[in-house]
Amino acid sequence: MQWLRRNSVVIAGLGTLAYMVLPNLVVTLFSFNNPAGRFNYAWQEFSLDAWKDPCGVADLCGSLSLSLQIALWSTLAATLLGTAIAFALVRYRFRARGAVNSLIFMPMAMPEIVMAASLLALFLNMGIQLGFRTILIAHIMFCLSFVVAAVKARVLSMDPRLEEAARDLYAGPVQTFVRVTLPIAAPGIAAGALLAFALSFDDFIITNFNSGNTVTFPMFVWGSAQRGTPVQINVIGTAMFVIAVLVVLAAQLVGNRRKNAQPK
């Protein structure tokens, strides 16, 4: 009993982690399955056929490429705009600052289906044809709030004396920003960018309302589930999960090396 009490927090953390990772492990397992019918829901036998030909299903890789393009462009735009907005909200005082601060976070609090319907009505009233452009605009809009939240939290924790010291050493505004401010804010900017990419790539509800005839990867998965689930979907999901884990591990390794390299 004493051992359980001492390690209760660790046990709870490991249990929560296992609960979160379990669906990914199931997806990975069934990426090696050879289903007897159209649906990949019951284990039949081990096979590498899907891994040898991940684009064997029509339009799968096309929809994946489209989702990656939208996610990359929306992440870039949302990160640039969100970083600028976060610095403005923290560093400057202007009229309606409180109202702007509240409006920025509305997409985070608003149900996705409400935002999706509102954007659809806006695009239709403006006569904009639904497709790649409307999806990109919608994704930038709802990713922006998450980037602002991540960067703003980092900027609020920054010590202004570091920038003052740089100016005292005759660094100009651009030099101070590039060599002092930006490196300190970089973890928050990177966190916001990664979050925006994940949200954009994974989004279905807003995309479904504003896509027209354009099919992204989440929409392809949803459509395939109505007719049968190809094993290649599990392959792509497993590959994305592995890449995400490797990125996190690489970032952790770089952070540990920098920490150890600092003089004590």
Side-chain angles (χ1 to χ4, degrees):
M1 290 296 295
Q2 291 182 355
W3 181 86
L4 288 175
R5 290 177 181 175
R6 287 197 305 267
N7 298 280
S8 59
V9 176
V10 177
I11 294 172
L14 292 175
T16 303
L17 181 62
Y19 176 77
M20 294 172 61
V21 174
L22 182 60
N24 297 290
L25 297 179
V26 173
V27 170
T28 302
L29 175 64
F30 277 84
S31 69
F32 297 99
N33 188 27
N34 185 20
R38 294 180 301 168
F39 295 94
N40 187 26
Y41 299 148
W43 180 264
Q44 298 294 328
E45 60 179 354
F46 182 85
S47 175
L48 292 173
D49 293 341
W51 282 93
K52 293 177 181 178
D53 188 17
C55 295
V57 180
D59 298 330
L60 189 151
C61 285
S63 64
L64 176 63
S65 175
L66 182 63
S67 287
L68 289 174
Q69 292 178 49
I70 293 172
L72 287 171
W73 283 111
S74 62
T75 298
L76 179 62
T79 302
L80 291 175
L81 292 173
T83 300
I85 293 171
F87 272 95
L89 290 174
V90 174
R91 297 293 180 84
Y92 299 97
R93 298 293 182 268
F94 51 89
R95 290 184 179 180
R97 177 171 171 268
V100 172
N101 200 16
S102 301
L103 288 172
I104 285 294
F105 292 98
M106 280 188 64
M108 298 176 63
M110 185 184 301
E112 278 196 54
I113 193 167
V114 175
M115 185 188 302
S118 301
L119 286 170
L120 176 61
L122 174 66
F123 293 140
L124 293 177
N125 287 326
M126 294 181 65
I128 300 176
Q129 185 177 1
L130 300 180
F132 185 92
R133 285 189 305 166
T134 54
I135 297 174
L136 183 60
I137 293 171
H139 283 207
I140 293 172
M141 179 179 176
F142 74 79
C143 289
L144 189 63
S145 300
F146 295 91
V147 176
V148 172
V151 179
K152 186 180 176 184
R154 183 64 178 178
V155 175
L156 285 171
S157 66
M158 291 171 58
D159 189 351
R161 291 175 297 181
L162 296 174
E163 295 170 294
E164 293 174 3
R167 288 192 291 268
D168 289 341
L169 294 171
Y170 303 103
V174 176
Q175 285 181 308
T176 301
F177 179 79
V178 172
R179 298 197 174 188
V180 178
T181 307
L182 190 59
I184 297 175
I189 297 173
L194 290 174
L195 183 59
F197 181 87
L199 289 169
S200 176
F201 182 82
D202 187 56
D203 181 76
F204 173 77
I205 297 177
I206 295 177
T207 304
N208 190 37
F209 271 73
N210 299 280
S211 61
N213 295 324
T214 305
V215 179
T216 61
F217 183 68
M219 295 177 63
F220 178 87
V221 174
W222 179 80
S224 297
Q226 313 303 312
R227 305 181 300 273
T229 309
V231 184
Q232 282 81 358
I233 290 178
N234 295 67
V235 173
I236 299 298
T238 301
M240 297 296 294
F241 173 69
V242 172
I243 292 172
V245 171
L246 291 177
V247 169
V248 172
L249 292 177
Q252 188 69 31
L253 181 62
V254 171
N256 290 339
R257 286 186 176 179
R258 288 182 178 177
K259 185 177 180 181
N260 295 331
Q262 292 178 354
K264 297 181 180 180

